[in-house]
């Protein structure tokens, strides 16, 4: 981003296997912390009932998305379930230059691209309470067809493997506890206390404990 030199805010990426509840979690985190701005992504998928263009996503067609991609307009982009998703520089530039911290709620391939292009971004991986709970949640979503659910489940292993590129991991068992933990990470990073908060929510230990509990 040409504005890197003037960037004052932090970028927090929250990624998770689908069905982990990251949309609800991010909405609660944003409610609690007025210093945060949620990045509005572009997508080629159709709006779901209740979704508003420019609020939940910028809904664009394939052609427009590819044009933006060619013009280098995306910090990251990924294909997910047959649709394109991307975070545009223009979604995050203004808040970052104004010193506001930005939250990207995206899937894991995109998070890995952010890691490469913006090494100082803070990556938070959200884990479901267990794989069994995740599967039950995905099946319980009335908005998705069986085929979509099956695809999402097939992605979970790959998504979990990508967790090793993240800085922090948080288990979304009790929503409010998880919200506090994300806020703990955000506040510590702002205060320059990344090392201290790593002892509480560092990815390596949280993930190892979670994996041990699955057996
Ligand atoms: P949905 O279609 O359910 O809204 O989103 C599908 C997946 O795409 C979710 O995991 C969501 O977080 C992710 N997603 C939304 N916006 C972006 C984006 O800009 N970039 C990437 N890489 N993933 C996104």
């Amino acid at each position: 981003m040409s504005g890197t030199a003037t960037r004052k805010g932090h970028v927090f990426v929250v990624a998770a296997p689908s069905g982990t509840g990251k949309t609800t979690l991010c909405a609660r985190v944003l409610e609690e912390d007025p210093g945060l701005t949620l990045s509005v992504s572009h997508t080629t998928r159709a709006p779901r009932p209740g979704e508003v263009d420019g609020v939940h996503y910028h809904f664009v067609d394939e052609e427009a998305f590819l044009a933006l991609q060619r013009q280098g307009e995306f910090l990251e982009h990924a294909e997910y379930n047959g649709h394109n998703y991307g975070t545009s520089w223009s979604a995050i530039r203004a808040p970052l230059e104004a010193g506001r911290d930005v939250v990207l709620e995206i899937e894991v391939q995109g998070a890995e691209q952010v890691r490469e292009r913006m090494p100082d971004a803070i990556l938070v991986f959200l884990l479901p309470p267990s794989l069994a709970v995740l599967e039950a949640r995905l099946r319980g979503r009335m908005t998705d067809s069986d085929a979509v659910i099956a695809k999402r489940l097939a992605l979970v292993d790959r998504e979990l493997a990508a967790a090793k590129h993240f800085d922090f991991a948080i288990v979304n068992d009790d929503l409010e506890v998880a919200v506090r933990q994300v806020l703990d990470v955000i506040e510590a990073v702002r205060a320059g206390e990344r090392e201290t908060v790593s002892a509480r929510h560092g990815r390596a230990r949280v993930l190892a404990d979670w994996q041990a509990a699955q057996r």
Side-chain angles (χ1 to χ4, degrees), residues 110-186:
E112 291 178 301
Q113 292 170 40
V114 176
R115 164 97 308 156
E116 284 161 25
R117 292 179 196 161
M118 213 182 237
D120 60 345
I122 294 96
L123 270 57
V124 179
F125 195 91
L126 194 65
L127 286 160
S130 70
L131 286 174
V133 169
L134 180 64
E135 183 166 346
R137 282 185 190 167
L138 286 175
R139 294 196 186 285
R141 264 191 193 178
M142 302 313 282
T143 47
D144 296 324
S145 68
D146 283 356
V148 168
I149 292 168
K151 272 194 204 156
R152 290 190 175 193
L153 285 173
L155 267 182
V156 169
D157 279 352
R158 213 179 78 199
E159 291 173 326
L160 286 172
K164 63 175 180 291
H165 301 296
F166 285 61
D167 302 300
F168 298 99
I170 283 166
V171 181
N172 189 17
D173 188 353
D174 178 314
L175 174 66
E176 289 308 314
V177 170
V179 167
R180 290 289 138 211
Q181 292 181 342
V182 174
L183 291 168
D184 187 24
V185 167
I186 292 172

Side-chain angles (χ1 to χ4, degrees), residues 22 41 45 48 57 76 80 85-87 105-107:
K22 69 179 182 301
S41 299
R45 85 149 163 76
R48 295 193 183 118
Y57 282 105
E76 62 74 35
Y80 186 90
Y85 295 84
T87 304
E105 183 207 321
I106 60 178
E107 54 70 66

Side-chain angles (χ1 to χ4, degrees), residues 42 44 59-71 73-74:
H42 284 70
T44 57
F59 294 100
V60 292
D61 62 20
E62 189 83 15
E63 200 180 324
F65 192 97
L66 295 178
L68 289 168
Q69 192 178 320
R70 274 195 304 274
Q71 289 154 20
E73 284 298 322
F74 290 122

